PDB file of all heavy atoms in Angstrom:
ATOM      1  N   THR A   1       7.805   4.233  -2.308  1.00  0.00           N
ATOM      2  CA  THR A   1       6.620   3.350  -2.200  1.00  0.00           C
ATOM      3  C   THR A   1       6.838   2.138  -1.193  1.00  0.00           C
ATOM      4  O   THR A   1       5.998   1.925  -0.333  1.00  0.00           O
ATOM      5  CB  THR A   1       6.378   2.727  -3.626  1.00  0.00           C
ATOM      6  OG1 THR A   1       6.183   3.695  -4.582  1.00  0.00           O
ATOM      7  CG2 THR A   1       5.180   1.768  -3.541  1.00  0.00           C
ATOM      8  N   ALA A   2       8.084   1.581  -1.220  1.00  0.00           N
ATOM      9  CA  ALA A   2       8.425   0.581  -0.257  1.00  0.00           C
ATOM     10  C   ALA A   2       8.395   1.035   1.106  1.00  0.00           C
ATOM     11  O   ALA A   2       7.951   0.313   1.998  1.00  0.00           O
ATOM     12  CB  ALA A   2       9.784  -0.045  -0.644  1.00  0.00           C
ATOM     13  N   ALA A   3       8.851   2.221   1.391  1.00  0.00           N
ATOM     14  CA  ALA A   3       8.901   2.782   2.760  1.00  0.00           C
ATOM     15  C   ALA A   3       7.453   2.963   3.255  1.00  0.00           C
ATOM     16  O   ALA A   3       7.175   2.660   4.429  1.00  0.00           O
ATOM     17  CB  ALA A   3       9.642   4.061   2.823  1.00  0.00           C
ATOM     18  N   LEU A   4       6.526   3.443   2.329  1.00  0.00           N
ATOM     19  CA  LEU A   4       5.184   3.675   2.791  1.00  0.00           C
ATOM     20  C   LEU A   4       4.550   2.323   3.106  1.00  0.00           C
ATOM     21  O   LEU A   4       3.856   2.163   4.183  1.00  0.00           O
ATOM     22  CB  LEU A   4       4.443   4.416   1.652  1.00  0.00           C
ATOM     23  CG  LEU A   4       4.672   5.845   1.432  1.00  0.00           C
ATOM     24  CD1 LEU A   4       4.132   6.306   0.087  1.00  0.00           C
ATOM     25  CD2 LEU A   4       4.174   6.634   2.640  1.00  0.00           C
ATOM     26  N   TYR A   5       4.702   1.368   2.275  1.00  0.00           N
ATOM     27  CA  TYR A   5       4.103   0.026   2.567  1.00  0.00           C
ATOM     28  C   TYR A   5       4.735  -0.687   3.717  1.00  0.00           C
ATOM     29  O   TYR A   5       4.054  -1.509   4.353  1.00  0.00           O
ATOM     30  CB  TYR A   5       4.116  -0.820   1.272  1.00  0.00           C
ATOM     31  CG  TYR A   5       2.957  -0.489   0.331  1.00  0.00           C
ATOM     32  CD1 TYR A   5       3.154  -0.028  -0.950  1.00  0.00           C
ATOM     33  CD2 TYR A   5       1.633  -0.720   0.685  1.00  0.00           C
ATOM     34  CE1 TYR A   5       2.231   0.293  -1.801  1.00  0.00           C
ATOM     35  CE2 TYR A   5       0.618  -0.323  -0.131  1.00  0.00           C
ATOM     36  CZ  TYR A   5       0.912   0.102  -1.393  1.00  0.00           C
ATOM     37  OH  TYR A   5      -0.143   0.430  -2.282  1.00  0.00           O
ATOM     38  N   ASP A   6       6.040  -0.421   3.920  1.00  0.00           N
ATOM     39  CA  ASP A   6       6.697  -1.041   5.061  1.00  0.00           C
ATOM     40  C   ASP A   6       6.149  -0.507   6.369  1.00  0.00           C
ATOM     41  O   ASP A   6       6.161  -1.209   7.406  1.00  0.00           O
ATOM     42  CB  ASP A   6       8.239  -0.802   4.982  1.00  0.00           C
ATOM     43  CG  ASP A   6       9.037  -1.734   5.871  1.00  0.00           C
ATOM     44  OD1 ASP A   6       8.575  -2.923   6.071  1.00  0.00           O
ATOM     45  OD2 ASP A   6      10.014  -1.323   6.378  1.00  0.00           O
ATOM     46  N   GLY A   7       5.698   0.704   6.343  1.00  0.00           N
ATOM     47  CA  GLY A   7       5.204   1.332   7.563  1.00  0.00           C
ATOM     48  C   GLY A   7       3.707   1.162   7.840  1.00  0.00           C
ATOM     49  O   GLY A   7       3.206   1.644   8.791  1.00  0.00           O
ATOM     50  N   LEU A   8       2.987   0.600   6.789  1.00  0.00           N
ATOM     51  CA  LEU A   8       1.560   0.456   6.914  1.00  0.00           C
ATOM     52  C   LEU A   8       1.120  -0.929   6.583  1.00  0.00           C
ATOM     53  O   LEU A   8       1.529  -1.479   5.516  1.00  0.00           O
ATOM     54  CB  LEU A   8       0.865   1.463   5.961  1.00  0.00           C
ATOM     55  CG  LEU A   8       0.987   2.983   6.338  1.00  0.00           C
ATOM     56  CD1 LEU A   8       0.563   3.832   5.215  1.00  0.00           C
ATOM     57  CD2 LEU A   8       0.108   3.201   7.591  1.00  0.00           C
ATOM     58  N   GLU A   9       0.364  -1.536   7.344  1.00  0.00           N
ATOM     59  CA  GLU A   9      -0.233  -2.945   7.157  1.00  0.00           C
ATOM     60  C   GLU A   9      -1.580  -2.713   6.579  1.00  0.00           C
ATOM     61  O   GLU A   9      -2.541  -2.394   7.293  1.00  0.00           O
ATOM     62  CB  GLU A   9      -0.167  -3.716   8.449  1.00  0.00           C
ATOM     63  CG  GLU A   9      -0.711  -5.099   8.316  1.00  0.00           C
ATOM     64  CD  GLU A   9       0.310  -5.989   7.587  1.00  0.00           C
ATOM     65  OE1 GLU A   9       1.485  -5.836   7.830  1.00  0.00           O
ATOM     66  OE2 GLU A   9      -0.247  -6.890   6.783  1.00  0.00           O
ATOM     67  N   LEU A  10      -1.753  -3.149   5.353  1.00  0.00           N
ATOM     68  CA  LEU A  10      -3.058  -2.964   4.689  1.00  0.00           C
ATOM     69  C   LEU A  10      -4.012  -3.969   5.261  1.00  0.00           C
ATOM     70  O   LEU A  10      -3.706  -5.030   5.609  1.00  0.00           O
ATOM     71  CB  LEU A  10      -2.968  -3.265   3.127  1.00  0.00           C
ATOM     72  CG  LEU A  10      -2.202  -2.271   2.274  1.00  0.00           C
ATOM     73  CD1 LEU A  10      -2.240  -2.627   0.858  1.00  0.00           C
ATOM     74  CD2 LEU A  10      -2.698  -0.837   2.509  1.00  0.00           C
ATOM     75  N   ARG A  11      -5.232  -3.515   5.437  1.00  0.00           N
ATOM     76  CA  ARG A  11      -6.322  -4.362   5.976  1.00  0.00           C
ATOM     77  C   ARG A  11      -7.020  -5.098   4.803  1.00  0.00           C
ATOM     78  O   ARG A  11      -7.406  -4.491   3.837  1.00  0.00           O
ATOM     79  CB  ARG A  11      -7.364  -3.545   6.673  1.00  0.00           C
ATOM     80  CG  ARG A  11      -6.875  -2.926   7.935  1.00  0.00           C
ATOM     81  CD  ARG A  11      -8.020  -2.044   8.522  1.00  0.00           C
ATOM     82  NE  ARG A  11      -7.502  -1.467   9.827  1.00  0.00           N
ATOM     83  CZ  ARG A  11      -8.192  -0.543  10.486  1.00  0.00           C
ATOM     84  NH1 ARG A  11      -9.435  -0.170  10.095  1.00  0.00           N
ATOM     85  NH2 ARG A  11      -7.745  -0.069  11.626  1.00  0.00           N
ATOM     86  N   TYR A  12      -6.939  -6.456   4.839  1.00  0.00           N
ATOM     87  CA  TYR A  12      -7.615  -7.211   3.751  1.00  0.00           C
ATOM     88  C   TYR A  12      -9.117  -6.872   3.788  1.00  0.00           C
ATOM     89  O   TYR A  12      -9.620  -6.714   4.905  1.00  0.00           O
ATOM     90  CB  TYR A  12      -7.420  -8.705   4.081  1.00  0.00           C
ATOM     91  CG  TYR A  12      -8.106  -9.580   3.083  1.00  0.00           C
ATOM     92  CD1 TYR A  12      -7.542  -9.881   1.900  1.00  0.00           C
ATOM     93  CD2 TYR A  12      -9.317 -10.209   3.357  1.00  0.00           C
ATOM     94  CE1 TYR A  12      -8.105 -10.708   0.983  1.00  0.00           C
ATOM     95  CE2 TYR A  12      -9.965 -10.975   2.501  1.00  0.00           C
ATOM     96  CZ  TYR A  12      -9.323 -11.257   1.234  1.00  0.00           C
ATOM     97  OH  TYR A  12      -9.982 -12.093   0.306  1.00  0.00           O
ATOM     98  N   PRO A  13      -9.744  -6.660   2.642  1.00  0.00           N
ATOM     99  CA  PRO A  13      -9.336  -7.022   1.360  1.00  0.00           C
ATOM    100  C   PRO A  13      -8.757  -5.883   0.456  1.00  0.00           C
ATOM    101  O   PRO A  13      -8.861  -5.945  -0.800  1.00  0.00           O
ATOM    102  CB  PRO A  13     -10.735  -7.418   0.673  1.00  0.00           C
ATOM    103  CG  PRO A  13     -11.687  -6.524   1.286  1.00  0.00           C
ATOM    104  CD  PRO A  13     -11.228  -6.292   2.705  1.00  0.00           C
ATOM    105  N   VAL A  14      -8.164  -4.889   1.042  1.00  0.00           N
ATOM    106  CA  VAL A  14      -7.406  -3.882   0.256  1.00  0.00           C
ATOM    107  C   VAL A  14      -6.190  -4.490  -0.470  1.00  0.00           C
ATOM    108  O   VAL A  14      -5.504  -5.203   0.148  1.00  0.00           O
ATOM    109  CB  VAL A  14      -7.059  -2.682   1.162  1.00  0.00           C
ATOM    110  CG1 VAL A  14      -6.276  -1.630   0.253  1.00  0.00           C
ATOM    111  CG2 VAL A  14      -8.205  -2.075   1.782  1.00  0.00           C
ATOM    112  N   HIS A  15      -6.118  -4.252  -1.724  1.00  0.00           N
ATOM    113  CA  HIS A  15      -5.001  -4.750  -2.510  1.00  0.00           C
ATOM    114  C   HIS A  15      -3.847  -3.684  -2.588  1.00  0.00           C
ATOM    115  O   HIS A  15      -4.083  -2.459  -2.614  1.00  0.00           O
ATOM    116  CB  HIS A  15      -5.466  -5.108  -3.922  1.00  0.00           C
ATOM    117  CG  HIS A  15      -4.474  -5.900  -4.736  1.00  0.00           C
ATOM    118  ND1 HIS A  15      -3.365  -5.347  -5.308  1.00  0.00           N
ATOM    119  CD2 HIS A  15      -4.387  -7.245  -4.947  1.00  0.00           C
ATOM    120  CE1 HIS A  15      -2.675  -6.309  -5.919  1.00  0.00           C
ATOM    121  NE2 HIS A  15      -3.318  -7.484  -5.733  1.00  0.00           N
ATOM    122  N   PRO A  16      -2.586  -4.147  -2.508  1.00  0.00           N
ATOM    123  CA  PRO A  16      -1.480  -3.184  -2.389  1.00  0.00           C
ATOM    124  C   PRO A  16      -1.138  -2.394  -3.652  1.00  0.00           C
ATOM    125  O   PRO A  16      -0.544  -1.400  -3.522  1.00  0.00           O
ATOM    126  CB  PRO A  16      -0.291  -4.039  -2.039  1.00  0.00           C
ATOM    127  CG  PRO A  16      -0.661  -5.398  -2.546  1.00  0.00           C
ATOM    128  CD  PRO A  16      -2.112  -5.527  -2.366  1.00  0.00           C
ATOM    129  N   HIS A  17      -1.614  -2.848  -4.866  1.00  0.00           N
ATOM    130  CA  HIS A  17      -1.345  -2.089  -5.999  1.00  0.00           C
ATOM    131  C   HIS A  17      -2.192  -0.822  -6.066  1.00  0.00           C
ATOM    132  O   HIS A  17      -3.368  -0.817  -5.710  1.00  0.00           O
ATOM    133  CB  HIS A  17      -1.638  -2.928  -7.279  1.00  0.00           C
ATOM    134  CG  HIS A  17      -0.658  -4.093  -7.482  1.00  0.00           C
ATOM    135  ND1 HIS A  17      -0.651  -4.901  -8.513  1.00  0.00           N
ATOM    136  CD2 HIS A  17       0.342  -4.555  -6.642  1.00  0.00           C
ATOM    137  CE1 HIS A  17       0.203  -5.831  -8.422  1.00  0.00           C
ATOM    138  NE2 HIS A  17       0.870  -5.667  -7.266  1.00  0.00           N
ATOM    139  N   ALA A  18      -1.592   0.240  -6.545  1.00  0.00           N
ATOM    140  CA  ALA A  18      -2.237   1.498  -6.788  1.00  0.00           C
ATOM    141  C   ALA A  18      -2.141   2.445  -5.662  1.00  0.00           C
ATOM    142  O   ALA A  18      -1.439   3.473  -5.745  1.00  0.00           O
ATOM    143  CB  ALA A  18      -3.669   1.362  -7.299  1.00  0.00           C
ATOM    144  N   GLY A  19      -2.865   2.296  -4.587  1.00  0.00           N
ATOM    145  CA  GLY A  19      -2.998   3.245  -3.475  1.00  0.00           C
ATOM    146  C   GLY A  19      -1.796   4.058  -3.168  1.00  0.00           C
ATOM    147  O   GLY A  19      -1.625   5.158  -3.573  1.00  0.00           O
ATOM    148  N   LEU A  20      -0.913   3.510  -2.308  1.00  0.00           N
ATOM    149  CA  LEU A  20       0.356   4.196  -1.956  1.00  0.00           C
ATOM    150  C   LEU A  20       1.298   4.249  -3.062  1.00  0.00           C
ATOM    151  O   LEU A  20       2.250   5.096  -3.077  1.00  0.00           O
ATOM    152  CB  LEU A  20       0.945   3.539  -0.759  1.00  0.00           C
ATOM    153  CG  LEU A  20       0.122   3.711   0.573  1.00  0.00           C
ATOM    154  CD1 LEU A  20       0.633   2.816   1.659  1.00  0.00           C
ATOM    155  CD2 LEU A  20       0.071   5.119   1.054  1.00  0.00           C
ATOM    156  N   ALA A  21       1.215   3.289  -4.058  1.00  0.00           N
ATOM    157  CA  ALA A  21       2.118   3.274  -5.204  1.00  0.00           C
ATOM    158  C   ALA A  21       2.061   4.584  -6.051  1.00  0.00           C
ATOM    159  O   ALA A  21       2.990   5.008  -6.576  1.00  0.00           O
ATOM    160  CB  ALA A  21       1.846   2.074  -6.059  1.00  0.00           C
ATOM    161  N   GLY A  22       0.804   5.141  -6.063  1.00  0.00           N
ATOM    162  CA  GLY A  22       0.677   6.405  -6.792  1.00  0.00           C
ATOM    163  C   GLY A  22       1.457   7.493  -6.188  1.00  0.00           C
ATOM    164  O   GLY A  22       2.058   8.340  -6.871  1.00  0.00           O
ATOM    165  N   VAL A  23       1.585   7.539  -4.809  1.00  0.00           N
ATOM    166  CA  VAL A  23       2.363   8.581  -4.188  1.00  0.00           C
ATOM    167  C   VAL A  23       3.896   8.353  -4.486  1.00  0.00           C
ATOM    168  O   VAL A  23       4.630   9.247  -4.797  1.00  0.00           O
ATOM    169  CB  VAL A  23       2.107   8.499  -2.623  1.00  0.00           C
ATOM    170  CG1 VAL A  23       3.024   9.528  -1.924  1.00  0.00           C
ATOM    171  CG2 VAL A  23       0.643   8.744  -2.326  1.00  0.00           C
ATOM    172  N   GLY A  24       4.278   7.062  -4.364  1.00  0.00           N
ATOM    173  CA  GLY A  24       5.699   6.760  -4.710  1.00  0.00           C
ATOM    174  C   GLY A  24       6.009   6.982  -6.184  1.00  0.00           C
ATOM    175  O   GLY A  24       7.085   7.535  -6.472  1.00  0.00           O
ATOM    176  N   ALA A  25       5.074   6.726  -7.014  1.00  0.00           N
ATOM    177  CA  ALA A  25       5.310   6.933  -8.420  1.00  0.00           C
ATOM    178  C   ALA A  25       5.547   8.455  -8.785  1.00  0.00           C
ATOM    179  O   ALA A  25       6.410   8.799  -9.590  1.00  0.00           O
ATOM    180  CB  ALA A  25       4.177   6.490  -9.324  1.00  0.00           C
ATOM    181  N   VAL A  26       4.835   9.333  -8.138  1.00  0.00           N
ATOM    182  CA  VAL A  26       4.945  10.764  -8.385  1.00  0.00           C
ATOM    183  C   VAL A  26       6.255  11.270  -7.815  1.00  0.00           C
ATOM    184  O   VAL A  26       6.881  12.224  -8.384  1.00  0.00           O
ATOM    185  CB  VAL A  26       3.786  11.563  -7.987  1.00  0.00           C
ATOM    186  CG1 VAL A  26       3.817  11.911  -6.447  1.00  0.00           C
ATOM    187  CG2 VAL A  26       3.669  12.868  -8.775  1.00  0.00           C
TER     188      VAL A  26
END
């Protein structure tokens, strides 16, 4: 999860919880 978010800058107003975290969680 951290690697995915480190490589992608979310565009506001997207919130960081859920989206890529679901990929990391699985």
